[in-house]
Amino acid sequence: MERIIPMASTLRPSLSSSLRFSSTTRLGLSHPSRNPCRRFSFLHLGTASPPTQHFDVKVLKSLRKGSNMAVAAAGNIAQASTSPAQDDLLEWVKKDNRRMLHVVYRVGDLDKTIKFYTECLGMKLLRKRDIPEERYTNAFLGYGPEDSHFVIELTYNYGVDRYDIGSGFGHFGIAVEDVAKTAELIKAKGGKVTREPGPVKGGSTVIAFIEDPDGYKFELLERGPTPEPLCQVMLRVGDLDRSIAFYEKAFGMELLRKRDNPEYKYTIAMMGYGPEDKSAVLELTYNYGVAEYEKGNAYAQIAIGTDDVYKTAEAVRLGGGKITREPGPLPGINTKITTCLDPDGWKTVFVDNIDFLKELE
């Protein structure tokens, strides 16, 4: 959806949102004490010449009491009018038509990576676009068409053959019917298996780990037939409860399950827009006592579809996220997007659903 280059943002100057709130209050309401008419009336009454000083004190006390009551009443009205609006926005988020569209990351040799994903992982090359004037190329790969499947968007920046994956990114998940057989096939084609097939620590699901040419890890999970084989993106976070609350409130995701593994000192939470066996999910991992991770410059972002990028941006703000690109159309293709960061700094791009389908056409 946008150019990805190492170590720097390529997003163009932010566009102001038509729904952006005033800096004075959430809904742009002015504070009563800043009303010039109200200030004038207070000054006018205060300059009246009282017969005695005793009378002046009583008048001032009365005026102050009335002023405080007026301010409190106005504050209550503002609060009452703000809360329903926020509730409506958060309710809209839950009903919004959202789906994880693709995950974006950088690679050093595009042709080599495409060959590995198609021959070893069984993906299909869905489309490829070269932007020579911007010096980068994208390739989209997956197990089904982009309008109905979660896919991978690879980015190759001319002349850059190596990236730092960092310690925060975990892995991608692929569901297969036979992990052992898949691992052997990958080995036969020259792939690297970093964890032999076997039950997951603290569970019974058979898994294996492999590594692609750039060092990205893929977890193979043994499952029955599924409409969404590319099924997980795992990211590490410093405060799991904080992240769960954010993704529920700001992204409208559902906490599908949570599992604590005290023996191995980690906890995971599966977040998504549908069941794990039928849709792609976000796996958040908290390692006991670890609050921060190095992001590196290899992994970029997840893209999520939405019916309204403007409302989405306000919901992200309300949920405590940071908008890094104001909602609006991308120059040249007019696809409306907004980008944001979660509490740990992980980036997400929200894309207008209708514009996304138009772009595919």
Side-chain angles (χ1 to χ4, degrees), residues 146-173:
E146 292 178 65
D147 61 358
S148 59
H149 288 72
F150 183 57
V151 306
I152 288 171
E153 178 182 341
L154 301 176
T155 297
Y156 168 70
N157 292 290
Y158 291 9
V160 183
D161 61 2
R162 187 174 302 175
Y163 294 94
D164 175 21
I165 294 177
S167 60
F169 171 78
H171 60 260
F172 306 110

Side-chain angles (χ1 to χ4, degrees), residues 18-36:
S18 60
L19 299 180
R20 189 170 184 177
F21 294 147
S22 166
S23 60
T24 54
T25 67
R26 180 64 66 178
L27 292 181
L29 299 175
S30 297
H31 192 284
S33 65
R34 296 182 181 177
N35 188 320

Side-chain angles (χ1 to χ4, degrees), residues 262-282:
E263 181 181 357
Y264 299 102
K265 297 184 178 181
Y266 76 92
T267 307
I268 64 168
M270 296 295 189
M271 312 287 299
Y273 297 110
E276 290 181 64
D277 60 341
K278 296 180 180 179
S279 58
V281 301
L282 180 62

